[in-house]
Amino acid sequence: MTNEIRFAEANGLRFAYLEEGSGPLVLMLHGFPDTAHTWDDLRPRIAAKGYRAVSPFMRGYHPSAIPDRDPDQETLARDPLALIEALGAGDAIVIGHDWGASAAYGAAGLCPDRVTKLFTIGIPHPATLKPSLKKLWGARHFAAYKLPGAPNRFARNDFAALPAIYRRWSPLWNPDPREFDAVRAAFSNQASLNAAFGYYRKLSPILSASLKARITVPTVVFAGLDDPIVEPSDYRAAARMFEDEYVVEEVRGGHFMHREHPETFAERLLTHL
C-alpha cells in the first residue's frame, strides 16, 4: 500500500490526497474527527477491483491547505465536484462518511452528471432528519463545537476527547490506540484543528440549495446497527429525497462502522460497486 501524499488545486484550495489503482474514479470523503486514512483498509480493496481510489484530506485538514474562512455546505458540496475535475475525470463514484457524506449528498444534488453512484455512511440525508430528545442529546457536540475555545478544549490532555467521541458514536468498538494517530497528527497543526471546527461553526439550521435538491443518482446508504444516535428507520425515511435506486444496507457497528468491521463493510460495499 502506498501512502504517498499528492496534491491537487480544486475549488480555490490545495487538497492533499492518497491514491491507489487506476480506472474509473472513486472519490472517498472523510468526516470528523478523521482524515483520509480512515479509508486505508477500503482504498486498496477498491483499487484491486479496477478503480482509481482517491481519498482527499478534506478542506482544512492538514496537509490540505487551511481555507481563509469557515466552509458552508455549498462550499463542501462543490469541493468533491472540483476535485473530480482536478483529478482529470469527467465523473466519479462518490463515497462519504459523516461530513464527507454531507458533502457527497450536496455534490450529487448539485451535479448529478458528475456523480455516477453515491455511497454514504453514518448520516441519513440531512433534509429528512427529525429532531428527537435522543438525537439532540447524541448530537450535542453540534452546539458545543460552535462555542469559543472548542478546538483548545478538544486538544487537552493529548486529545483525550478523541477516543471519547469515538466511544460515544461507536460504543461497541474497542479500537487500537494507534487508530487515532493520523487524526492527532493532522490536529497537532493548530490551524488545521481550528479549520475542522469551522465546519461546525458555520453549520446552519437552514438547509442549503444542495441539500434541498432531490438526488437522481443510484444511492446506497450504510446504517450502523449499533449507532446510538441514528437508526436504520431514519435512513429508510430518507428515501423520499431519492428518485433513482435507493438501498439501505444495515451493517454491524456504530457511526464508524467502516472501521469497526472493515471486512464485512468492504464486502457489502463492493457488491454494489
Side-chain angles (χ1 to χ4, degrees):
M1 183 195 300
T2 173
N3 272 330
E4 182 200 343
I5 291 177
R6 302 172 186 194
F7 293 90
E9 296 284 337
N11 202 15
L13 202 75
R14 188 172 189 245
F15 283 87
Y17 65 92
L18 303 171
E19 174 177 8
E20 285 175 67
S22 59
L25 179 63
V26 178
L27 194 61
M28 313 166 77
L29 312 172
H30 71 81
F32 175 94
D34 219 339
T35 71
H37 290 290
T38 202
W39 306 115
D40 282 356
D41 181 85
L42 186 60
R43 195 173 52 251
R45 295 176 192 263
I46 288 176
K49 295 285 184 186
Y51 292 92
R52 178 188 180 195
V54 172
S55 51
F57 290 78
M58 298 288 276
R59 167 175 292 266
Y61 281 75
H62 182 76
S64 284
I66 309 301
D68 57 7
R69 61 177 70 90
D70 293 342
D72 57 17
Q73 170 61 28
E74 293 311 280
T75 303
L76 295 176
R78 291 188 186 282
D79 281 349
L81 297 171
L83 276 164
I84 292 168
E85 190 176 349
L87 292 165
D91 53 37
I93 294 167
V94 179
I95 301 174
H97 172 246
D98 188 78
W99 276 105
S102 187
Y105 284 129
L110 286 177
C111 281
D113 54 327
R114 285 287 177 92
V115 180
T116 53
K117 192 158 194 172
L118 179 64
F119 292 87
T120 58
I121 302 149
I123 301 281
H125 195 290
T128 64
L129 277 174
K130 290 191 166 49
S132 64
L133 285 175
K134 178 185 171 186
K135 282 188 182 56
L136 290 170
W137 177 244
R140 58 194 182 275
H141 63 288
F142 282 115
Y145 290 175
K146 283 178 175 286
L147 299 174
N152 292 338
R153 284 190 289 278
F154 194 84
R156 273 183 203 152
N157 304 321
D158 190 29
F159 296 97
L162 197 53
I165 207 77
Y166 276 69
R167 255 196 316 279
R168 188 198 299 174
W169 296 342
S170 278
L172 301 185
W173 189 27
N174 293 307
D176 184 305
R178 287 172 299 185
E179 283 279 347
F180 310 119
D181 287 355
V183 187
R184 279 197 175 93
F187 286 174
S188 63
N189 177 315
Q190 180 69 36
S192 178
L193 174 66
N194 186 58
F197 276 77
Y199 289 56
Y200 291 95
R201 286 192 296 267
K202 192 69 178 176
L203 185 66
S204 165
I206 300 163
L207 279 182
S208 66
S210 69
L211 291 180
K212 285 180 183 168
R214 293 171 76 82
I215 290 177
T216 57
V217 304
T219 301
V220 181
V221 295
F222 283 83
L225 291 169
D226 310 311
D227 190 322
I229 303 169
V230 286
E231 296 163 14
S233 59
D234 294 313
Y235 294 86
R236 289 193 288 272
R240 63 184 172 84
M241 289 301 294
F242 298 84
E243 293 180 359
D244 203 311
E245 182 185 29
Y246 178 76
V247 177
V248 180
E249 279 282 5
E250 299 179 20
V251 296
R252 286 189 305 146
H255 186 64
F256 295 92
M257 62 198 92
H258 62 297
R259 285 166 65 184
E260 289 176 74
H261 304 286
E263 292 274 348
T264 314
F265 178 84
E267 194 178 293
R268 296 281 277 277
L269 185 138
L270 292 171
T271 61
H272 293 284
L273 210 57

